[in-house]
Amino acid sequence: MDLIDDQQLQGERSEPCPRTLYVVGTPIGNLGDLSPRAKSILKKVSLIACEDTRRSGQLLKIIKSKVPLLSYHKHNFKRRQSKLLEILESSGSLALISDAGLPGINDPGQELVYAAKSNSFEVICIPGPCAATTALVISGLPSERFCFEGFLPKKQRLRKKRLQDISQEHRTTVIYESPHQLIKLLEDLSVACGKERPIQIARELTKRYEESIGNTIEEVTKYFMTNKPKGEFTIVLGGNNNNQNNRVSESEALNKLNKLINQGEKSNFAAQKIAEETGYEKKWLYSQLHKSLDK
Ligand code: SAM
């Protein structure tokens, strides 16, 4: 790495520039993924804001950086802001890093970037690994358009609504989850999207025991029932690609449902059949049916 000339890495201008906030991507497992440019910035800025000073201290030790660290996390980011902006104001330079990956992606960062820009300081990203995009590009699922959901809400009502939205989403969806909540998430996704929905689970990306597990929600749930989830996981869920989707309006779908029931079909079975035919959620069709009966 050191063989590469610093100036060559830095392109035309010499970095770090004064009055500039650098948002720096750091490895999500494999230290070899720290870019030479990131390394150079982390050795030269005036101060590094990081989530956990002990964890980032280890990284700085490895790259032999003596730059001071200041903790910047979800519990103190408001308090820290003025101090960090003062450094930029006095012509210093700042780096923002998180425990792993890209700051601002399910990690602190957004507020500091906003504050720096609002105060006319320059903000530059030194790109690096991100679990979401890393998992997406090896999933084999459509990647030209995708959504990122991060962690789903824990509160039942919010979670239900989010799962409902995800089940209807046509684009590939990327979700983060901890190992002890993974099976619960898969069960919830199975109810919302159906057990046949394509899915790829990336485990321990960039690390020694990296693996990808697929191909449907049913298959991966069975896998994790016998192989206890351990390590870090990113979930890539295929979109709702029912070909009939959007071709039939809600009222048409409900008419079809009522017609089947009037023909003597049981409502549960009819809702399942129309869900498969139209792409509308079985639960939603069923609830609409009850609404019309209540009137
Ligand atoms: N800022 C990070 C990024 O750019 O990816 C994400 C931080 S978020 C707090 C941490 C979550 O990212 C983990 O719970 C896991 O879902 C996912 N993740 C991080 N590292 C991973 C890895 N090596 N393999 C799979 N997923 C990972």
Side-chain angles (χ1 to χ4, degrees):
M1 296 277 182
D2 287 330
L3 292 177
I4 303 171
D5 182 72
D6 265 356
Q7 284 304 317
Q8 196 185 324
L9 289 170
Q10 290 161 8
E12 290 185 358
R13 60 177 159 184
S14 157
E15 292 178 320
C17 298
R19 297 171 60 84
T20 302
L21 166 65
Y22 292 89
V23 178
V24 183
T26 59
I28 55 171
N30 190 326
L31 279 179
D33 293 334
L34 184 73
S35 77
R37 187 173 169 218
K39 190 171 159 184
S40 165
I41 287 287
L42 294 178
K43 289 171 98 162
K44 292 181 181 167
V45 284
S46 323
L47 183 91
I48 299 170
C50 65
E51 270 189 284
D52 178 345
T53 50
R54 270 204 301 184
R55 192 177 163 131
S56 296
Q58 290 169 0
L59 179 70
L60 293 203
K61 204 169 162 193
I62 292 167
I63 65 168
K64 301 190 174 69
S65 166
K66 298 261 187 305
V67 174
L69 289 165
L70 184 72
S71 71
Y72 179 83
H73 46 69
K74 60 181 174 190
H75 303 296
N76 72 1
F77 72 91
K78 282 192 184 133
R79 263 186 292 135
R80 288 291 196 235
Q81 197 154 290
S82 51
K83 184 173 167 73
L84 293 170
L85 293 181
E86 267 169 33
I87 291 171
L88 296 175
E89 191 58 60
S90 59
S91 294
S93 55
L94 271 181
L96 171 68
I97 58 175
S98 64
D99 282 353
L102 267 186
I105 303 295
N106 257 140
D107 275 337
Q110 183 195 318
E111 295 80 6
L112 184 60
V113 169
Y114 181 79
K117 288 176 92 82
S118 307
N119 286 277
S120 305
F121 297 116
E122 183 137 19
V123 180
I124 286 177
C125 180
I126 311 291
C130 171
T133 47
T134 307
L136 175 70
V137 297
I138 57 161
S139 69
L141 292 164
S143 57
E144 66 274 18
R145 296 176 72 219
F146 67 96
C147 311
F148 174 63
E149 285 289 346
F151 292 90
L152 298 197
K154 296 267 178 293
K155 284 193 178 146
Q156 265 317 305
R157 199 176 50 82
L158 293 176
R159 188 175 175 91
K160 219 171 155 189
K161 170 77 180 81
R162 191 70 58 86
L163 283 159
Q164 166 78 21
D165 292 347
I166 290 173
S167 75
Q168 299 298 313
E169 177 56 62
H170 289 231
R171 294 166 292 181
T172 301
T173 298
V174 183
I175 304 170
Y176 285 160
E177 191 50 282
S178 64
H180 52 279
Q181 293 293 329
L182 183 68
I183 292 179
K184 164 95 179 79
L185 173 69
L186 293 175
E187 286 168 352
D188 287 351
L189 286 173
S190 179
V191 172
C193 310
K195 58 189 182 176
E196 296 300 328
R197 181 72 74 93
I199 194 167
Q200 287 290 324
I201 300 193
R203 174 176 172 267
E204 294 284 85
L205 286 162
T206 77
K207 302 184 200 174
R208 179 188 273 202
Y209 297 109
E210 167 167 357
E211 60 179 335
S212 289
I213 301 121
N215 292 308
T216 63
I217 296 182
E218 185 175 33
E219 284 171 64
V220 296
T221 308
K222 271 191 193 149
Y223 176 87
F224 285 113
M225 289 295 191
T226 47
N227 300 275
K228 192 173 176 226
K230 277 190 208 142
E232 295 197 277
F233 294 92
T234 296
I235 295 92
V236 185
L237 179 74
N240 183 341
N241 283 326
N242 189 314
N243 289 336
Q244 299 290 323
N245 250 1
N246 282 349
R247 290 193 193 159
V248 169
S249 68
E250 288 182 5
S251 60
E252 276 175 279
L254 291 172
N255 283 343
K256 280 173 179 278
L257 179 60
N258 282 317
K259 199 170 160 193
L260 263 191
I261 292 167
N262 290 339
Q263 284 167 356
E265 201 64 85
K266 281 195 175 139
S267 52
N268 189 21
F269 185 75
Q272 175 69 42
K273 213 168 166 191
I274 299 302
E276 280 164 15
E277 191 185 319
T278 62
Y280 286 98
E281 269 261 282
K282 178 186 167 189
K283 267 187 171 176
W284 178 80
L285 288 162
Y286 208 68
S287 68
Q288 296 303 306
L289 197 62
H290 283 284
K291 265 191 202 162
S292 61
L293 288 177
D294 289 346
K295 279 180 191 165

